[in-house]
Amino acid sequence: MEGKVKLDLIEQHVIDFVRKLRADKKLRQVDIAYIIGVKASFIGNVENLSNPAKYNLKHINVFADHFGLSPKDFLPPVALMSNDNKKEGEK
């Protein structure tokens, strides 16, 4: 049975940021793939919630350079922690 892959909140944030950037710039998955030097199917896999593929720091760095952004623009302003990620005793 195929279902959602459990991504950390930070991973989902980056994927959502790139997806929005792609939509805002009216780019296709193949265009995004070309920018970071991967196959278009990789971008489809990243945007598919049932696939564990995700962007890495090198991808973020290339995106930032290409779009005239800072790599930190792809990250949230504060840490995103789910209850699963918090250490025992933290609330």
Side-chain angles (χ1 to χ4, degrees), residues 3-8 10-16 18-19 29 36 38-57 59 63:
K4 282 184 167 182
V5 171
K6 179 79 168 131
L7 292 177
D8 283 344
I10 187 76
E11 294 166 334
Q12 190 62 56
H13 178 86
V14 172
I15 291 167
D16 292 343
V18 173
R19 185 183 288 141
Q29 289 180 346
I36 62 172
V38 298
K39 293 182 179 182
S41 59
F42 174 76
I43 306 303
N45 289 338
V46 168
E47 293 186 3
N48 179 346
L49 296 179
S50 65
N51 194 295
K54 48 192 159 279
Y55 298 115
N56 63 36
L57 292 174
H59 297 143
F63 283 139

Side-chain angles (χ1 to χ4, degrees), residues 16-34:
D16 292 343
F17 184 90
V18 173
R19 185 183 288 141
K20 182 177 179 338
L21 183 64
R22 180 170 74 79
D24 290 348
K25 302 286 187 184
K26 296 181 177 24
L27 297 172
R28 300 166 299 158
Q29 289 180 346
V30 69
D31 300 321
I32 292 295
Y34 179 79

